[in-house]
Amino acid sequence: MKLTGNLLIGAHEIPATEGTMKALNPATNQLIEPDFALGGVEQVDRAATLADEAFDAYSHTSLAERSAFLERIADHLDAASKALAARAALETGLPEAQLQGEVARAATQFRQFADVVRKGRFLQVAIDPAQPDRQPRPRMDHRLQKIAIGPVAIFGASNFPISYSVAGGDTASALASGATVIVKAHNAHPGASEIQARAIRQAVQDSGLPEGVFSMVRGSGNAIGEALVDHPLIKAVTFTGSEQGGMALYRRAQQRPEPIPVFTEMTSVNPTFVLPHALAGRGSQIGDGFAERMLVNVGQACLKPAILIAIEGTGFDALRAAMAQRAAQAGARPMLTPGIHASYIRGLDDLQRAGARLAAEGEPAHGDLDGHSALLEVDGAHFLSETALAHEVFGPAALLVKVRDAAQMLAVARSLRGQLSAAMHLEQTDIELARRLLPILERRTGRIVVNAFAHPQEVSFATIHGGPFPASSDSRFTSVGMTSIERFLRPVSYQGFPDALLPEALRDINALAVPRSVDGQ
């Protein structure tokens, strides 16, 4: 596929208005052709205007039409899979085979959301029929369904160039809700972003939908992102990235004349708690598995297990040795961007200045952007006294926390901020301690895993990818899974309507066969 580097605003190819950029190959630290256009406020305004003009028509498409559109996107992603994975590998340093799996996951998400739309459960239809004879006052007919919130701005992530990017779950769930979408592509993988955007735009055209259903913009610095958040036609924002970046967007959105929701996925250390009998029986296995998951994607994953807490005693030395061996044997690999690499080096230094000791490190870096693995350790008392030790270090590093007893383990759990996930490794004989730990973790995370690691994650109805602040800005919602569509919906009640004027899902005859609550039943 030939890359033009243009911005894709509706059906239009927009050349550079604010300069150009090239992608960087982090494995070679060399720039890659071609030039990619950078835009500004004017291009954001054009995209937002088109999205608003398209919204009424798109949000009122039938469930069948919208499902077919989402499936066309999946088909176009499948067709572009080889070229997309190859370009993403050049721009990220990640293995091409892994990225082909990411394309497949993205296409699968669109098909899953097509099924969600087709079944209509997301509408959450409720009907309270009229009761004209009710005393002391008659009740009018009330009918409720959920509709899309409006045009949505989506900020692509750096670490998953497809499944959290232009064709990621945010885009799939927003389009499924009936929202029109503007994606701010991440500058770390502009070529991969263009291929995905063209797949979506082709599906818009094939489906005969208004051009403003989807646009992709790109810019340098913060100006274009700020313009998206500020634009009065944008009604919601999603963001995956750092706490600093996410909170800057969140605060900005609350200062608008019309505040809007910003759904962020920010920072998490995804703690793993190894309970005593599991430690005694499986310490080595748990330690090796933890370190293996920590190293996936060179540690550049939001669900990377970064802190392991275990009680000193039988099995601890075996656990520590297995973690150290896995970390020491890991080769240094390219990190995604110069900024992420620099932040990783600073993060390792911060941990050591806060009192963590280096227990093992992997092969030294060969390339300029290589990230070498590191295992650090600290005792529970010191961890509790230094809040900096609980901060995320985005990269192939982990912290082992040795606590003296169950009480100190629970104290460590209580000290943690909000997390995307937490894990417990336990045996049946650990159940009583697990019962004490569980409510502490429930208050601090959106997902608790037993006898496994939080990464990877299924995309399903029962999935939660979110948690209390600072893991996300709103712990009531998930950014992954079928229920992530709920971020982009709001309820509307229709009172006293004639049947012919009602939305199809609310009419007396349920021709769509969608699930409905009638008078609470």
Side-chain angles (χ1 to χ4, degrees):
M1 178 182 292
K2 179 177 174 57
L3 299 174
T4 68
N6 290 329
L7 306 178
L8 304 179
I9 298 180
H12 303 279
E13 303 259 346
I14 306 298
T17 62
E18 305 288 332
T20 62
M21 60 159 288
K22 283 185 168 68
L24 178 74
N25 183 334
T28 63
N29 205 17
Q30 299 295 312
L31 296 175
I32 318 167
E33 296 293 338
D35 288 329
F36 289 90
L38 299 173
V41 174
E42 183 179 342
Q43 287 66 51
V44 167
D45 181 64
R46 179 59 180 153
T49 300
L50 286 172
D52 187 66
E53 290 172 350
F55 178 77
D56 285 344
Y58 179 63
S59 65
H60 282 78
T61 51
S62 70
L63 300 183
E65 290 171 323
R66 205 180 309 164
S67 297
F69 166 53
L70 296 172
E71 287 168 340
R72 287 188 184 100
I73 295 174
D75 291 342
H76 288 308
L77 288 171
D78 284 341
S81 176
K82 187 173 182 180
L84 176 51
R87 180 69 194 195
L90 275 179
E91 295 177 338
T92 64
L94 298 172
E96 189 170 333
Q98 175 182 320
L99 291 164
Q100 285 180 337
E102 205 173 315
V103 181
R105 170 176 165 158
T108 296
Q109 283 188 93
F110 278 95
R111 293 191 175 99
Q112 287 174 306
F113 276 109
D115 191 54
V116 167
V117 171
R118 189 175 290 110
K119 291 177 179 175
R121 187 171 73 177
F122 74 101
L123 296 171
Q124 297 183 36
V125 172
I127 298 174
D128 294 328
Q131 295 179 354
D133 299 325
R134 190 185 69 174
Q135 295 298 326
R137 182 164 62 90
R139 183 176 78 180
M140 292 185 68
D141 184 272
H142 290 68
R143 305 188 181 215
L144 179 145
Q145 70 170 1
K146 290 199 170 183
I147 68 168
I149 197 169
V152 172
I154 291 171
F155 286 68
S158 62
N159 56 331
F160 288 92
I162 302 160
S163 59
Y164 278 78
S165 185
V166 175
D170 285 352
T171 301
S173 55
L175 290 173
S177 76
T180 51
V181 167
I182 303 169
V183 173
K184 177 190 175 293
H186 200 285
N187 290 351
H189 42 262
S193 295
E194 181 178 330
I195 294 170
Q196 294 168 72
R198 290 190 180 281
I200 297 171
R201 192 172 74 162
Q202 186 62 53
V204 172
Q205 295 170 351
D206 293 348
S207 302
L209 296 171
E211 61 173 311
V213 166
F214 174 82
S215 292
M216 182 193 74
V217 298
R218 183 188 306 108
S220 61
N222 297 328
I224 198 164
E226 292 171 351
L228 271 170
V229 174
D230 291 346
H231 202 287
L233 297 177
I234 297 297
K235 301 303 179 185
V237 174
T238 74
F239 171 84
T240 299
S242 70
E243 181 180 347
Q244 179 182 2
M247 290 311 299
L249 296 180
Y250 179 85
R251 294 187 187 103
R252 195 174 188 96
Q254 305 319 303
Q255 293 167 0
R256 289 175 27 145
E258 177 199 352
I260 58 173
V262 177
F263 301 105
T264 64
E265 186 263 276
M266 296 181 289
T267 182
S268 183
V269 295
N270 307 301
T272 295
F273 294 83
V274 185
L275 277 56
H277 291 94
L279 179 65
R282 298 185 279 118
S284 178
Q285 176 187 344
I286 294 168
D288 182 68
F290 177 95
E292 177 190 21
R293 298 315 306 172
M294 177 268 286
L295 293 167
V296 171
N297 273 25
V298 203
Q300 300 163 116
C302 44
L303 288 173
K304 179 196 83 171
I307 295 180
L308 187 147
I309 302 99
I311 299 172
E312 183 177 14
T314 305
F316 185 89
D317 289 343
L319 174 134
R320 182 186 182 279
M323 294 175 71
Q325 181 178 9
R326 173 75 72 163
Q329 291 176 346
R333 290 170 53 197
M335 301 191 75
L336 292 164
T337 70
I340 289 174
H341 178 264
S343 179
Y344 175 62
I345 300 302
R346 286 195 303 272
L348 285 179
D349 183 59
D350 288 345
L351 287 179
Q352 292 178 81
R353 285 193 291 108
R357 303 177 299 277
L358 186 65
E361 58 184 336
E363 296 178 8
H366 300 292
D368 294 339
L369 301 182
D370 282 356
H372 71 284
S373 61
L375 173 66
L376 298 103
E377 60 184 345
V378 71
D379 63 59
H382 194 75
F383 183 87
L384 289 168
S385 70
E386 283 285 351
T387 58
L389 292 168
H391 291 176
E392 180 184 28
V393 176
F394 197 66
L399 180 66
L400 172 61
V401 181
K402 179 172 67 176
V403 295
R404 63 175 179 265
D405 53 25
Q408 194 171 68
M409 174 178 277
L410 298 176
V412 166
R414 291 189 189 97
S415 75
L416 295 171
R417 300 196 297 170
Q419 305 293 328
L420 293 171
S421 67
M424 294 189 292
H425 288 262
L426 55 90
E427 297 293 336
Q428 187 65 31
T429 43
D430 291 310
I431 289 293
E432 287 306 312
L433 177 55
R435 284 199 179 104
R436 295 167 64 193
L437 180 58
L438 181 58
I440 300 172
L441 298 184
E442 286 175 334
R443 293 178 63 179
R444 287 162 178 80
T445 186
R447 187 160 65 108
I448 305 168
V449 181
V450 170
N451 290 337
F453 299 99
H455 183 52
Q457 182 177 45
E458 291 292 328
V459 179
S460 68
F461 281 97
T463 289
I464 292 293
H465 191 63
F469 180 85
S472 66
S473 55
D474 194 331
S475 63
R476 296 171 298 173
F477 298 96
T478 177
S479 62
V480 175
M482 303 302 97
T483 58
S484 64
I485 193 174
E486 293 173 5
R487 295 173 295 172
F488 311 114
L489 297 169
R490 65 178 183 87
V492 175
S493 183
Y494 304 80
Q495 183 175 339
F497 268 54
D499 196 65
L501 187 57
L502 283 167
E504 190 173 7
L506 300 181
R507 293 174 187 168
D508 288 338
I509 296 176
N510 187 7
L512 299 177
V514 300
R516 309 200 301 187
S517 166
V518 180
D519 214 7
Q521 301 300 316

